[in-house]
Amino acid sequence: MKQQEKTLPTAESLTLINESERLKRDIERPDMEKFRLFTQMLRTNLLLKKAIIRHK
């Protein structure tokens, strides 16, 4: 079983794989789409900075 555990991908490695695949895909995007995604990211960041999170 230990050999199987070594071959199974971990959540961290899956995240890295998915992130690298996403970056490769993003390189091929047109400039206007890159700009739109960037401005959307900025708006989301601004929204999250304004959020007030209360814990009960």
Side-chain angles (χ1 to χ4, degrees), residues 4-6 11 22 24-25 28 30 33 44 46 49 54:
Q4 284 181 340
E5 290 174 0
K6 291 180 182 178
R22 183 185 56 81
K24 288 177 186 176
R25 186 181 66 232
E28 301 298 323
E33 190 174 351
T44 302
L46 185 62
K49 281 185 177 181
R54 297 181 184 175

Side-chain angles (χ1 to χ4, degrees), residues 13-26:
S13 66
L14 286 175
T15 303
L16 293 175
I17 291 169
N18 291 338
E19 185 175 351
S20 64
E21 288 177 7
R22 183 185 56 81
L23 289 173
K24 288 177 186 176
R25 186 181 66 232
D26 287 347

